[in-house]
Structures are given as structure tokens and as C-alpha cells.
Amino acid sequence: MAARSLLCRGVGVFQLSTKTPLLSASRCCSQTEPEPLTLRQENNGIRRIILNNPKKRNALSLSMLDSLRENILTDVDNEGLRVIIISARGPVFSSGHDLKELTSAQGREFHTKVFDTCTKVMTLIQDVPVPVIAMVNGVATAAGCQLVASCDIVVATERSTFGTPGVNVGLFCSTPAVAIGRAVPRKVVMEMLLTGTPISAQDALLHGLISKVVPEQRLEEETLAIARRVCETSRAVVTLGKATFQRQMALGRDAAYSTASKVMVDNLALRDGQEGIRAFLEKRRPVWSHKTEKAHD
């Protein structure tokens, strides 16, 4: 089904149907405006963000990172938003940083800004209150692989590959290694970093970089099925759980158990926590409020 775009500041907002467009593109900008770097669509609690620069292999330029960040943050605290899916147009999910931005001509200050912005985007994905799913159909390298590793869930096609080839162009993938090294065993990620050799989707699954490998024709169906399953749960509970998982993973075992145990008690105090237990005992479907209201102190 055709989609209509809203082009603003490198960000596109589109709908599944053109019957009720958000805005006419002509009202926002002229015919000569370039294609937006990202597209955003939201339907039934699922926000889809699409990297939209296939001619440049969806490189994570500073503008692309800013656009991605804006699309993630927009109305992110709205209770109607339940999950975010990040995907890409073209055969390359993302080739990583735009190397033209990393030459000496740009200077140290600009380079610092690029990596600071990238770090903000990657940590934002893990810090936002809803799950973020990467839907990958193609190549994800360097910071593009970092983007994949930063997401909560990753569904990829059999043709997808993942790599950190920076060493081959004289730029070791140190920042991608932060996210990838927390998902993949150390010796596996070190081989990726030291040789630049990509790994297949099946190896990425084996080593924990991605969640599921599916045939290309089933990628969207499988990804949306996961997203819809998330939408059946309480946003308040998911938000608490995601934040706790990220926090306890950085702790030692005993501190992690202490933190998680306290949060379990907090979870039980939520209105939705008690609603879920009552619904189970009464053999009915829960009616979620999606709010952080407490059932008891």
C-alpha cells in the first residue's frame, strides 16, 4: 500500500494509508527537498523507524544520527507507544559512520561530536521506556552493527551479515565493541574486531548478537508478531522490567539479585502487577491500565 511522506528536518513521517495523511508534503517543503534520512510510521502502539538513505548504505552520518534520535524520542512517554522497530531500506541495514565525516578536514571537535551523538543514540535505545526491535535484512557493519547490538531484540534474515571492519581502514571499532562486546562472547568479538571478517546471521544467532533468523519473506511477519505480543502486556510492567534488566546487568551477582528483588516487590505494588495476578487466578484476560499507579504501598 502506498505511503505518503511528511518531510521535515531530515525526518519523514508516513502512514500505512494515504486516505488520512498527516500533512501534505507540499505544505512542509518544496519538491526539491531531499529524501528524509529516516521515515516514521506509528500504528496500534508500534512505531516503525526506517533508515532511508540506501544510496549511502544508510551510513550513520551526524544528520542520520540526529534524525534517528528525534524519531525515537518523539512522544516516547505517550502511553500509547508500546514498541519501536528499526529497519532500513536497501540491501545494507547500515554501513556505520560516514567516513567522509571522519577525515582531518572535519577536525577533532566535529569528530568528538559525531561519537558523542552516536553514544547518545545507542544508550537512548537501551534507556527508552519501551522495547526496541531491530529488523535486519542485509549488511550491518561497524556502528551499524553497534546499532543492532544496542537493540533489545533483533530479527534478521538469512542473508544478513554482521561485522566490525574498521581495522581494515585504520579505524578500530572501539565504540561498536562496547555494545557488541556486551552481547557476544569476548573471543568471538575480538576475532571480529581484529580481523574485520563478518559473521553470518546463523553465527550471529549462535553467539547471541541477534534473537532470531528467518527467511526474507517472513521477516516483517515475524518481527510484527513479536511487537504485537509486547503490545498485549502492560507498558508499566515492561518499562520497569527493561530498566531493571539494563541496570542489573552492570552489577555483580549479589548486587544484581538485591536490585532485582527490590524491583520485584515494587512490581507487585503496581496496579497492573496485581491485576495480572488476579486475572490469572480468575482465569480471565487482564485489563491493563499501562500506568504506574500503585495498588498498595
Side-chain angles (χ1 to χ4, degrees):
M1 192 176 293
R4 181 169 296 184
S5 296
L6 169 70
L7 313 182
C8 294
R9 301 189 305 279
V11 178
V13 181
F14 67 97
Q15 294 179 300
L16 286 174
S17 172
T18 59
K19 293 181 180 179
T20 55
L22 294 176
L23 276 178
S24 169
S26 62
R27 290 176 58 189
C28 185
C29 50
S30 69
Q31 295 285 342
T32 60
E33 283 288 333
E35 279 286 305
L37 292 174
T38 58
L39 301 171
R40 187 178 79 243
Q41 164 216 333
E42 197 159 328
N43 190 36
N44 295 326
I46 301 171
R47 175 176 298 172
R48 299 186 62 174
I49 301 173
I50 302 173
L51 307 184
N52 187 44
N53 196 10
K55 290 182 179 179
K56 292 192 175 181
R57 298 164 61 87
N58 293 311
L60 296 179
S61 63
L62 184 58
S63 296
M64 174 71 90
L65 289 166
D66 284 337
S67 182
L68 179 57
R69 184 171 183 267
E70 181 177 346
N71 269 326
I72 293 171
L73 278 175
T74 298
D75 215 17
V76 73
D77 292 321
N78 189 311
E79 291 175 2
L81 177 63
R82 309 301 313 289
V83 63
I84 295 172
I85 297 173
I86 299 176
S87 61
R89 288 183 57 207
V92 178
F93 178 79
S94 177
S95 59
H97 291 292
D98 184 347
L99 294 183
K100 290 181 180 179
E101 294 186 341
L102 304 183
T103 64
S104 295
Q106 298 294 336
R108 188 179 185 90
E109 185 176 344
F110 183 84
H111 295 164
T112 299
K113 185 176 182 181
V114 168
F115 290 104
D116 284 351
T117 302
C118 185
T119 296
K120 288 176 182 176
V121 171
M122 300 303 169
T123 55
L124 174 65
I125 287 170
Q126 297 186 330
D127 292 344
V128 290
V130 297
V132 180
I133 304 173
M135 185 170 79
V136 183
N137 184 26
V139 178
T141 58
C145 190
Q146 179 185 3
L147 177 59
V148 168
S150 298
C151 291
D152 299 303
I153 299 171
V154 182
V155 184
T157 60
E158 297 161 325
R159 64 184 287 270
S160 300
T161 59
F162 306 86
T164 51
V167 68
N168 296 323
V169 296
L171 184 65
F172 200 86
C173 287
S174 294
T175 47
V178 174
I180 302 168
R182 284 163 170 73
V184 173
R186 180 173 300 186
K187 288 181 173 54
V188 175
V189 71
M190 283 303 292
E191 182 179 351
M192 293 174 66
L193 292 165
L194 292 168
T195 67
T197 304
I199 62 174
S200 67
Q202 288 295 342
D203 281 344
L205 177 65
L206 174 66
H207 298 306
L209 180 61
I210 66 176
S211 313
K212 183 179 290 191
V213 179
V214 299
E216 187 172 355
Q217 64 271 22
R218 288 180 52 200
L219 177 62
E220 187 159 340
E221 175 188 351
E222 294 282 349
T223 305
L224 286 174
I226 295 171
R228 290 177 183 132
R229 182 67 187 88
V230 172
C231 289
E232 294 175 2
T233 63
S234 163
R235 173 176 164 130
V237 171
V238 167
T239 296
L240 180 63
K242 175 178 173 176
T244 303
F245 179 81
Q246 295 292 348
R247 189 162 71 251
Q248 64 88 12
M249 285 296 289
L251 303 174
R253 183 195 62 185
D254 293 348
Y257 267 119
S258 176
T259 295
S261 294
K262 291 175 182 176
V263 173
M264 292 289 284
V265 174
D266 291 339
N267 194 157
L268 285 172
L270 287 177
R271 175 178 167 185
D272 278 357
Q274 289 300 307
E275 165 61 14
I277 292 173
R278 283 197 303 271
F280 178 82
L281 295 174
E282 296 169 6
K283 296 181 173 57
R284 61 174 175 81
R285 292 179 65 85
V287 180
W288 305 121
S289 71
H290 302 295
K291 299 182 183 298
T292 56
E293 295 175 357
K294 291 186 177 181
H296 60 261
D297 292 328

